[in-house]
Amino acid sequence: MLSAKQIRSGFIDFFRNKGHEFVPSSPIVPIGDETLLFANAGMNQFKDIFVGLTPPEYRRVVNSQKCLRVSGKHNDLEEVGKDTYHHTFFEMLGNWSFDDYFKAEAIEWAWELLTEVWGIDPDRLWATVFQGDAEDSSPPDSDAKSLWPKVTGIPDERVLFGGKKDNFWEMGDIGPCGPCSEIHIDLGAEMCDMKETKGHKCAVNSGCSRFIELWNLVFIQYNRTEDGRLVDLGAKYVDTGAGLERIAAVLQKKKSNYDTDLFIPITDCLSDITGHKYTSELNNRIDNAFRVISDHIRSLTFAMTDGATPSNEGRGYVIRRLLRRASRFGRELGMHEPFMYKLVPIVVDCLGDAFVEIKARSDYVAMVIESEEASFGRTLDRGIEIFNTAAERAGAGERTISGEDAFQLYDTYGFPLDLTELMAKERNLKVDTAKFDKLMEEQRKRARAAFVKDSISISDKVSVTVLPKTEDLHKYRSDQCDGQIVGWVDNEGFKNEGRIEAGVEVGLILDKTCFYAEAGGQVGDCGRLESDNGRFVVENTAKIANCVIHRGRVAEGVFSVSDKVKAIVSKDRDATKKNHTATHLLQWALQEVLGKSVAQQGSLVGPDYLRFDFTYPKAPSARQLKKIEHKVREKIAADLPVTCVVMPKDQAQKLGAMALFGEKYGNEVRVVAIGAEGKDRLGEAFSREFCGGTHVDRIGSIGGFKIIKEESISAGVRRITALTGSGLAGFLEQRSEIIDELSETLKVPAEKLADRVEQLIKDNKKLAKELKSAARQAGSDIMAEAKRLLEKCEKIGQTSVIIGRLSATSVEQARETIDMLKKKAKSAAVVLGFADNDKVTLLAGMTNDLVKRGLKAGVLVKAIAPLIDGGGGGRPQMAQAGGKNPEKIDDALAKAAQLIKEKLANR
């Protein structure tokens, strides 16, 4: 029996022998594609090739792509656990042809691998081809229909026509598309899960689990235009995908993907942790929980490894939903403490040889998962109680949990909506999602920060393929260069004719530039473009594909296409260079002090400061931060050289150059080496990183380094903000002024400030302690006065009427005194007064039985406050008044006694 490892390597080796180049999986968190939350298909990393943005490096490619389907069009989340073959995370085995071979070879090789190499009985296999679509004039795939029997020998009756839903692939409403052929396998009549469904007949794409898709062969041969027409592409592509989990189940003769060696080690470990056994049964609460948790821990391990972190937005929220969903299923197995993090090493054992990145970050992933589990666990049980109450209300009514209840579960207890829906479904209840969505939108409106919309955007109607290429290597050599305007972009798209006048905001495009476009955490350059006819202020620089866009406005004059201009970068560039090189020094120092497990999670490099995010399980100590600063400053003082070299990626990796995790690199990379004099001595450098940013020539020019802030930004991720150069000089100057002011105020020299402040703190603590002691004594005295008033108070029936004057005290103490009197007397009407210099305070308190009889503290103080030249009010149980005539306190208290007695006598 082939293991999953052997199946994966066998697939890759088979296509390597057919002339394919192996390309590693792209990260599950897409790089540079904000249209996609997670990689959900093998073609994602080749998208730019399909749309014509970049030429292919290889004509034939094979790989195994990490995929996550939990949102949008491709969302298998709700099905996970209920059947044997749906997953959120899966591996997509695939082979590609970029304008090389086409349908005949793709069909022939897929059949050869399945039947001859892997030995699947060809009589169990079926194929589907596109039948055409009259609505959009898509023709049937007659080529594939005739090729299947011709090149494989499959009987014509087992090659079926299918509709657009199953047999036509499109990237979007417009763009590359084409028909596809699916290979299905008949698993046998016993695998049908719809036997009880009236009128059901087992067949390919009939909805039952007897026939399942094994492999999809996509033939990209058309381009969908804006008016919906299909036009033949100049190049033709093959894009195939086969799920490793399903292939493994077939080849290992298992009825369920969860019974293969991709999952069994996880379910075995989960069994050891929980004490429950996995029995592979469907419609079984315990087994369902096993499948959900086993699936979700794989998704969490890979997504967090590739840079996703739990949060309340975007990708982070999807990850948090998965984790909390799995945590709730853990309750089905009796787990009330964090447990999923213990499964991470098992996932690594299963898949770490194929995807080495999960080995390197397993400790970090386990730590984040444990932290999230503990956080959610603190609210989960209370949330379940709230859900149960809501469910009882719903069960007694319209069998729908209200949107308000669902929102409370989300907002207060961290329950994702789909978790509430899942729990409701288990009780045959629905959730009012429309009301929930409305409440969510109201919250977003309240929380939404003001933002300034980018005044320059690329029109959605214009393909980025029309944007010209910019030669921008001058950014590494000079702050000035000559160029020529080739066009600009505005809200209508790209233009390469006409002119722009003063005040107009656009994105100018030159044939060559020395401006650095925002990338890799470094901000885009600012500056100006000057010509004989005008001046253009560059406020930011961006890059789309290979086109550099200088965003800004015409300050004076006019600009036209073909104008010659001088590009001049702002002097801020020097400060940005210093900060960027300092981030490399900081990463080196962090690994030296905190350990090699520290990995960059992101950065922001601008002229004013640098910010560096990194993985670490806890806050570094003050001593560690000082040591990090010291190491960076030592290197700066040594004034070592910085060498930047472009080289093949594999050569850079052999040198030990660090890559930013999850970043997309080509075959050639730029390496920034610190401490090496010249490209022939890169091995001497103490810091080597892949980097396309701008840097100083020697690190002595950085001038200094200071960490001004260290904080947590998410579980397991820390952030350091630091200053160098002129930013540091300004910071130190400001601090110096503060020290001068303190020295003047405290009348001590600067070098003795620390001792003086320490003494002041000690003195303050001593005084606070003495004041607290005095307050306690005063409070005791006041309480004693109040008890004496209680002892000699008048009683009307069971009610104590406690009226009296106290020594000067605080309002808080007087309120505590009234509470004490009410508690002791059971039924009491209390009015107390005291004076503090010219200020008078009256407080009244009533027990609840008197409030029900109409005696209210708020009404009473309003009646007596004018006697002390004041006013007041409050609740029926407790009220307060203030005035400025201490001589009338006794009169006010006497009036209070009179009103209380009258009220009680009338009841």
Side-chain angles (χ1 to χ4, degrees):
M1 185 178 73
L2 291 175
S3 68
K5 289 180 182 179
Q6 290 170 321
I7 295 168
R8 184 192 300 110
S9 61
F11 182 93
I12 293 167
D13 290 343
F14 176 84
F15 282 101
R16 272 179 164 163
N17 291 333
K18 303 290 186 185
H20 291 62
E21 183 72 24
F22 173 72
V23 174
S25 169
S26 65
I28 217 165
V29 176
I31 304 301
D33 186 354
E34 295 305 317
T35 66
L36 197 61
L37 281 179
F38 299 100
N40 57 20
M43 59 75 58
N44 293 154
Q45 68 169 307
F46 305 117
K47 183 176 175 181
D48 286 353
I49 297 174
F50 293 141
V51 298
L53 279 177
T54 58
E57 294 180 26
Y58 313 103
R59 291 294 174 185
R60 300 181 180 188
V61 164
V62 61
N63 89 340
S64 181
Q65 173 65 44
K66 304 174 288 187
C67 296
L68 191 60
R69 291 186 176 178
V70 285
S71 59
K73 177 182 174 183
H74 299 293
N75 185 356
D76 294 332
L77 179 63
E78 296 304 319
E79 304 306 317
V80 171
K82 297 177 184 177
D83 59 27
T84 63
Y85 53 88
H86 274 102
H87 307 289
T88 55
F89 172 84
F90 63 96
E91 285 185 62
M92 184 73 86
L93 303 171
N95 59 290
W96 287 265
S97 166
F98 302 117
D99 205 22
D100 187 52
Y101 62 84
F102 203 42
K103 296 179 184 179
E105 294 89 343
I107 291 170
E108 179 185 356
W109 292 340
W111 190 263
E112 179 186 346
L113 179 57
L114 290 174
T115 62
E116 296 179 26
V117 178
W118 284 339
I120 296 175
D121 182 357
D123 291 339
R124 298 170 62 196
L125 298 178
W126 295 65
T128 62
V129 297
F130 182 50
Q131 67 187 14
D133 190 297
E135 279 190 22
D136 66 2
S137 302
S138 308
D141 192 358
S142 303
D143 292 342
K145 174 68 174 170
S146 61
L147 279 169
W148 272 104
K150 181 179 178 181
V151 302
T152 70
I154 187 175
D156 187 64
E157 61 268 22
R158 291 216 311 274
V159 182
L160 310 176
F161 277 116
K164 192 173 181 180
K165 177 178 178 289
D166 295 312
N167 287 95
F168 196 87
W169 177 87
E170 297 187 81
M171 185 179 291
D173 293 335
I174 61 173
C177 56
C180 53
S181 273
E182 294 181 337
I183 304 173
H184 294 254
I185 187 168
D186 182 354
L187 298 176
E190 70 277 7
M191 290 299 293
C192 176
D193 57 357
M194 300 180 68
K195 294 174 183 176
E196 306 301 320
T197 304
K198 187 177 180 180
H200 173 72
K201 184 179 179 181
C202 290
V204 171
N205 286 332
S206 67
C208 78
S209 55
R210 172 178 172 177
F211 291 88
I212 65 167
E213 175 197 338
L214 278 186
W215 204 337
N216 190 15
L217 316 179
V218 181
F219 308 123
I220 304 171
Q221 62 189 86
Y222 302 120
N223 184 60
R224 177 83 67 185
T225 60
E226 287 182 32
D227 59 7
R229 292 182 303 112
L230 292 179
V231 179
D232 285 341
L233 280 174
K236 289 180 171 55
Y237 307 109
V238 171
D239 166 12
T240 87
L244 173 64
E245 291 77 10
R246 292 188 182 186
I247 297 285
V250 169
L251 296 183
Q252 294 177 11
K253 296 181 172 55
K254 303 294 184 182
K255 293 182 179 181
S256 166
N257 295 358
Y258 293 93
D259 293 335
T260 67
D261 61 345
L262 288 165
F263 287 93
I264 286 297
I266 302 173
T267 54
D268 283 349
C269 181
L270 188 54
S271 180
D272 292 340
I273 293 170
T274 65
H276 290 275
K277 290 295 181 184
Y278 178 61
T279 61
S280 300
E281 293 181 16
L282 295 177
N283 303 317
N284 178 298
R285 182 174 58 84
I286 297 298
D287 285 355
N288 188 34
F290 266 86
R291 285 187 288 270
V292 170
I293 294 167
S294 298
D295 170 87
H296 288 10
I297 193 63
R298 291 176 10 127
S299 294
L300 293 168
T301 299
F302 276 90
M304 291 185 188
T305 291
D306 283 357
T309 55
S311 70
N312 288 328
E313 298 292 336
R315 293 184 181 111
Y317 181 57
V318 174
I319 296 306
R320 180 163 280 167
R321 280 172 54 206
L322 274 178
L323 202 155
R324 292 184 171 183
R325 194 170 187 271
S327 182
R328 185 261 170 184
F329 273 97
R331 291 297 197 270
E332 301 282 356
L333 304 179
M335 300 307 298
H336 291 265
E337 298 296 327
F339 71 98
M340 285 187 294
Y341 73 97
K342 298 175 183 177
L343 299 173
V344 174
I346 311 303
V347 176
V348 172
D349 287 343
C350 291
L351 298 168
D353 289 341
F355 304 102
V356 295
E357 60 272 19
I358 64 173
K359 287 183 177 181
R361 289 167 68 88
S362 61
D363 290 344
Y364 162 72
V365 170
M367 183 271 299
V368 174
I369 291 176
E370 182 182 11
S371 174
E372 279 286 314
E373 283 187 273
S375 175
F376 186 46
R378 286 191 286 271
T379 62
L380 178 56
D381 289 328
R382 177 58 181 150
I384 290 174
E385 289 176 17
I386 298 297
F387 172 83
N388 289 338
T389 302
E392 287 172 10
R393 282 198 299 269
E398 298 180 0
R399 302 201 63 76
T400 299
I401 290 175
S402 71
E404 289 84 355
D405 284 335
F407 183 76
Q408 182 192 12
L409 284 166
Y410 164 79
D411 195 43
T412 306
Y413 300 101
F415 276 44
L417 177 61
D418 55 2
L419 178 54
T420 302
E421 289 181 304
L422 172 70
M423 295 167 67
K425 193 172 183 180
E426 291 172 351
R427 297 189 180 207
N428 295 316
L429 300 173
K430 296 180 180 178
V431 178
D432 185 352
T433 56
K435 181 63 175 179
F436 175 88
D437 291 340
K438 183 180 178 182
L439 293 170
M440 277 294 293
E441 183 56 32
E442 289 174 0
Q443 185 190 65
R444 290 190 189 103
K445 285 180 180 177
R446 289 192 299 269
R448 195 173 289 142
F451 70 98
V452 179
K453 190 172 181 180
D454 193 343
S455 60
I456 305 159
S457 61
I458 305 294
S459 170
D460 293 336
K461 298 179 181 177
V462 178
S463 170
V464 293
T465 57
V466 304
L467 296 175
K469 182 178 180 179
T470 310
E471 194 276 282
D472 65 345
L473 289 177
H474 296 278
K475 65 191 177 189
Y476 297 128
R477 306 173 189 142
S478 174
D479 294 342
Q480 295 186 21
C481 76
D482 294 325
Q484 189 173 27
I485 296 175
V486 295
W488 55 82
V489 290
D490 57 21
N491 292 322
E492 296 177 358
F494 172 67
K495 296 177 180 177
N496 58 5
E497 59 183 13
R499 65 187 220 163
I500 45 175
E501 299 180 348
V504 175
E505 296 184 351
V506 297
L508 271 184
I509 303 171
L510 311 180
D511 62 340
K512 61 174 73 76
T513 185
C514 55
F515 278 69
Y516 180 87
E518 182 175 348
Q522 181 175 329
V523 301
D525 281 334
C526 301
R528 63 188 189 276
L529 307 176
E530 296 179 347
S531 74
D532 293 338
N533 301 316
R535 180 168 59 89
F536 184 89
V537 176
V538 180
E539 296 167 350
N540 193 12
T541 309
K543 195 170 189 178
I544 298 177
N546 294 312
C547 179
V548 176
I549 299 174
H550 306 77
R551 300 176 182 267
R553 57 187 170 78
V554 180
E556 58 184 76
V558 296
F559 287 88
S560 304
V561 172
S562 299
D563 281 359
K564 295 185 183 303
V565 299
K566 180 177 284 294
I568 305 168
V569 178
S570 163
K571 293 187 181 300
D572 284 346
R573 160 80 73 82
D574 290 336
T576 302
K577 284 181 179 180
K578 292 174 182 178
N579 282 333
H580 201 154
T581 307
T583 62
H584 288 222
L585 294 175
L586 175 58
Q587 178 161 223
W588 165 80
L590 283 166
Q591 292 189 340
E592 287 288 303
V593 176
L594 304 181
K596 297 300 180 184
S597 63
V598 167
Q600 181 177 351
Q601 285 293 102
S603 65
L604 176 64
V605 179
D608 301 321
Y609 64 91
L610 66 93
R611 198 175 69 201
F612 190 81
D613 301 340
F614 60 98
T615 57
Y616 198 62
K618 58 185 179 181
S621 66
R623 183 180 177 186
Q624 286 173 319
L625 291 175
K626 287 292 182 187
K627 194 171 182 181
I628 290 163
E629 280 185 331
H630 179 70
K631 282 187 171 292
V632 173
R633 289 172 185 159
E634 269 190 334
K635 293 297 184 183
I636 291 172
D639 193 25
L640 299 170
V642 178
T643 301
C644 303
V645 182
V646 175
M647 63 174 63
K649 183 169 69 174
D650 57 354
Q651 183 182 339
Q653 289 170 332
K654 287 176 183 176
L655 274 171
M658 281 192 296
L660 175 58
F661 189 81
E663 189 61 83
K664 191 174 182 180
Y665 299 100
N667 283 333
E668 284 200 330
V669 296
R670 183 169 179 265
V671 174
V672 175
I674 305 177
E677 191 77 69
K679 63 181 181 180
D680 296 329
R681 302 174 65 179
L682 294 181
E684 298 175 6
F686 67 89
S687 168
R688 293 179 292 272
E689 292 189 38
F690 290 21
C691 184
T694 57
H695 290 270
V696 298
D697 294 326
R698 301 189 72 89
I699 57 177
S701 63
I702 295 173
F705 178 84
K706 174 68 179 174
I707 295 173
I708 60 169
K709 192 175 186 181
E710 193 282 329
E711 60 190 319
S712 170
I713 58 169
S714 66
V717 182
R718 313 294 304 179
R719 170 174 289 171
I720 280 178
T721 304
L723 300 174
T724 70
S726 58
L728 175 57
F731 173 82
L732 295 177
E733 184 176 344
Q734 183 187 47
R735 291 301 170 95
S736 178
E737 290 174 358
I738 293 172
I739 289 173
D740 289 344
E741 288 178 17
L742 284 173
S743 294
E744 178 64 27
T745 301
L746 298 177
K747 307 300 181 187
V748 294
E751 61 270 17
K752 292 187 177 180
L753 265 178
D755 293 338
R756 180 72 178 115
V757 170
E758 184 179 357
Q759 186 59 49
L760 285 172
I761 291 171
K762 286 180 180 178
D763 293 345
N764 188 56
K765 285 181 179 178
K766 183 180 178 183
L767 285 171
K769 190 175 180 181
E770 291 172 354
L771 285 171
K772 194 172 183 180
S773 177
R776 273 199 303 269
Q777 183 58 50
S780 297
D781 293 344
I782 293 296
M783 288 291 186
E785 290 180 24
K787 286 176 183 177
R788 287 194 289 272
L789 290 175
L790 175 62
E791 289 168 359
K792 59 183 182 180
C793 75
E794 182 178 354
K795 294 197 74 167
I796 301 176
Q798 297 298 313
T799 299
S800 299
V801 180
I802 309 166
I803 310 290
R805 187 167 181 165
L806 299 177
S807 303
T809 186
S810 67
V811 171
E812 291 77 12
Q813 183 63 57
R815 283 177 176 269
E816 288 179 15
T817 301
I818 290 177
D819 287 339
M820 180 271 293
L821 291 171
K822 286 162 64 177
K823 190 173 181 180
K824 281 185 173 293
K826 308 300 183 188
S827 175
V830 184
V831 182
L832 303 176
F834 62 90
D836 188 359
N837 296 320
D838 293 332
K839 183 180 176 183
V840 182
T841 302
L842 296 173
L843 289 101
M846 305 294 164
T847 51
N848 287 330
D849 62 311
L850 299 184
V851 172
K852 289 177 183 177
R853 293 166 64 182
L855 192 53
K856 299 178 181 179
V859 175
L860 182 64
V861 296
K862 281 183 180 178
I864 65 175
L867 294 174
I868 57 170
D869 299 337
R875 296 181 296 108
Q877 291 84 359
M878 179 76 77
Q880 175 184 335
K884 50 190 177 182
N885 192 344
E887 295 178 1
K888 295 290 186 177
I889 289 181
D890 293 335
D891 293 346
L893 293 174
K895 181 69 173 177
Q898 176 193 337
L899 293 173
I900 291 170
K901 290 175 184 178
E902 289 174 357
K903 199 76 172 176
L904 292 174
N906 293 332
R907 294 286 171 177

